[in-house]
Amino acid sequence: MTTQDLARIPAAKPEISEADIEAAVRVLRSGMVVQGPEVKAFEEEFAPVTGAAHCVAVNSGTSALHLSLLALGLGPGDEVIVPSFTFAATANAVRLVGAEPVFADIRRDSFNLDPAAVEALVGPRTAAIMPVHLYGLPADLVTLTAIADRHGLAIVEDAAQAHGAAIGDRPVGSWGKAGCFSFYPTKNMHSLEGGMVSTDDAELARQLRLLRNQGMEQRYANEVVGTNTRLTDVAAAIGRSQLQRLHGWTEQRRANAAALDAGLAEIDGVVVPLVGEGLRHVYHQYTIRVPHDRDAVSAKLTELGIGNAVYYPTPVHRLSPFLADGAPDPRWDLPETERAAAEALSLPVHPALGESDIDRIVGSVAAAVGSRA
Ligand SMILES: *Cc1c(COP(=O)(O)O)cnc(C)c1O
C-alpha cells in the first residue's frame, strides 16, 4: 500500500455528536434561545472543572479575557505582562482595554512564561500578569503567584487551551483572580463559539455578568458601560452536552500523548514535550521541537498525509499591531520565544486517533526527520 491509499490524519477533529445536535434542537424547539437556564446550568456544571466558586459564560474566549481585564479595572496607563509565544487574543485583550502588553520570554522546557523573566519586567505601571497554559500544560502558577503577591499584581489565567489541566490537584482557572476558557471548535471541548470566566470572587463575578449584558442586572437599570458578549442557550446546551465527554476525551488525549512519547523519544532530532513534576497536561496540542529545519519536516509530514501545524510561527511581538515604528520594540529580548517559533511542531493528538494512527504518525516523523539530511 502506498501513502496515497491511506486517509489523511487531520491535525484536529472538532466533535459534534448526535447528543450535541439533540441538545441544540431541544433548545431551538423550546423557543427560549437567548441567554437563560441553559447558560446558568452550563456555568454551574463547568465550575468544578476550574476549581473556582463562580463561572460566568460569555460568547468567546477572547471576550472572557477582555471582560476579565475590564472587570479588574485595567485600562490606559496599566501594563500587563504576557507571553509573546501565544495566540494574539492574549495581547489583543490587553490592548482592547487600552492597557499595554509587556512581553516576557518563555522557558525552553515548557513553552510557558519564565517567572524570572516576568519578575524582571515588573515596573511601577505593572497591574497584572496573564500566563497562558500553552498547549494544555499549566504555566508555573506557584512561582508566578508568589511574584504577583510580592508586587501586588492580579493574575488572569489564559486557560483557553487547558480545560481540566492542573497543578497538583488544583485545576487551572482557580489560581488567578480570573481564569479564561474558550469553547472554540478546535479546543478540548466546544460550544461552536463560547467562553467562560472562572473566579472565586463573587463581586468580580457580578461585574462580569454586568459587563457581558450592557451593564444590566435588572433590565434597563444599567449600572456600568457594558458589552453584549452573552452566550446563547443553544450554544450552552451544546457545551453542556460536550462537557459530559470532556473527561474521557482528556484521558484519551493523555493516552495518545504517552504513546507518541514512547514512539518519538528515540528519534534523533526530535524533542518530545516535557511535563514538569506534578503537572497535569491536557494536550490541547502535542508539540515537539524540531531544532533543525522544522519547516522541511512539516512539509514532508503533510506529504505523508499527517496533519501538522506550527503554533505559532510569528511571536505576537512581531505582529504588526504590536510593532513600534514598524519594528519589534527593542525592549523585548525574547530568545526562547524566537527559538520556539522556529522549532515547535504540533502533531495530531485528538481523541479520534486510533492505535494504527499513532504508529503511522511516529513512523512518518522518523521518515520525515531522516529524509532531510
Ligand atoms: C483560542 C484561544 C483564545 C481565544 O479564544 P476564542 O474562543 O477563539 O476567542 C485565547 N487565547 C488562547 C491561548 C487561545 O488558544
Side-chain angles (χ1 to χ4, degrees):
M1 196 156 66
T2 69
T3 53
Q4 279 76 35
D5 301 323
L6 292 166
R8 191 177 155 272
I9 301 176
K13 191 167 178 300
E15 292 274 343
I16 298 179
S17 72
E18 281 308 312
D20 299 342
I21 292 167
E22 277 165 27
V25 168
R26 173 172 52 73
V27 175
L28 285 167
R29 287 201 199 288
S30 79
M32 314 226 313
V33 295
V34 299
Q35 180 185 295
E38 291 289 332
V39 166
K40 186 163 188 295
F42 187 28
E43 291 173 342
E44 286 166 6
E45 290 163 9
F46 193 73
V49 174
T50 73
H54 311 279
C55 270
V56 179
V58 290
N59 65 350
S60 73
T62 306
S63 296
L65 294 166
H66 182 198
L67 266 52
S68 294
L69 297 180
L70 283 176
L72 287 167
L74 269 71
D78 290 324
E79 290 179 352
V80 180
I81 301 176
V82 299
S84 173
F85 195 60
T86 178
F87 185 48
T90 317
N92 280 346
V94 175
R95 274 286 180 78
L96 282 170
V97 302
E100 274 305 308
V102 167
F103 295 104
D105 210 1
I106 55 170
R107 295 174 57 108
R108 195 178 303 181
D109 60 4
S110 73
F111 296 108
N112 280 328
L113 274 181
D114 176 354
V118 169
E119 190 155 31
L121 289 166
V122 173
R125 286 153 141 14
T126 311
I129 307 169
M130 271 173 94
V132 179
H133 306 300
L134 200 70
Y135 308 142
L137 178 68
D140 182 358
L141 265 305
V142 175
T143 311
L144 289 171
T145 300
I147 292 168
D149 289 349
R150 211 157 35 238
H151 300 280
L153 311 174
I155 289 182
V156 174
E157 295 174 62
D158 184 338
Q161 304 185 355
H163 320 63
I167 302 170
D169 52 17
R170 184 168 167 191
V172 304
S174 68
W175 289 80
K177 283 297 270 179
C180 302
F181 294 83
S182 165
F183 303 123
Y184 182 74
T186 58
K187 302 294 159 86
N188 289 25
M189 60 167 282
H190 73 85
S191 62
L192 305 182
E193 295 271 10
M196 192 76 84
V197 184
S198 57
T199 182
D200 278 328
D201 183 334
E203 180 49 33
L204 193 71
R206 194 181 105 79
Q207 287 300 319
L208 290 161
R209 291 181 207 284
L210 289 174
L211 287 166
R212 77 173 166 189
N213 189 34
Q214 308 290 5
M216 299 186 290
E217 190 169 342
Q218 306 289 333
R219 190 179 293 196
Y220 308 132
N222 306 59
E223 299 177 40
V224 297
V225 173
T227 64
N228 171 5
T229 45
R230 295 179 302 257
L231 191 68
T232 67
D233 258 19
V234 179
I238 294 171
R240 292 180 70 197
S241 173
Q242 293 248 324
L243 181 54
Q244 295 183 27
R245 301 186 324 278
L246 176 64
H247 185 73
W249 283 335
T250 302
E251 289 310 310
Q252 190 60 52
R253 283 178 183 274
R254 287 167 53 80
N256 292 346
L260 287 167
D261 280 346
L264 296 171
E266 301 306 316
I267 301 175
D268 256 358
V270 168
V271 182
V272 299
L274 299 170
V275 182
E277 183 94 14
L279 301 183
R280 177 176 161 83
H281 194 328
V282 295
Y283 293 100
H284 170 59
Q285 299 293 344
Y286 181 91
T287 304
I288 59 173
R289 283 179 184 266
V290 182
H292 174 62
D293 213 354
R294 185 262 329 267
D295 292 343
V297 171
S298 168
K300 184 73 189 171
L301 284 172
T302 303
E303 208 182 293
L304 294 171
I306 309 298
N308 65 95
V310 174
Y311 305 109
Y312 297 89
T314 307
V316 175
H317 76 284
R318 292 188 173 277
L319 296 174
S320 51
F322 300 97
L323 299 178
D325 298 325
D329 192 318
R331 276 189 296 167
W332 317 136
D333 176 29
L334 308 171
E336 290 303 330
T337 296
E338 306 288 0
R339 176 191 286 265
E343 294 183 351
L345 185 63
S346 295
L347 303 173
V349 72
H350 54 79
L353 295 178
E355 232 170 273
S356 63
D357 293 326
I358 305 262
D359 291 345
R360 229 182 102 200
I361 294 165
V362 169
S364 301
V365 171
V369 172
S371 72
R372 273 174 322 184

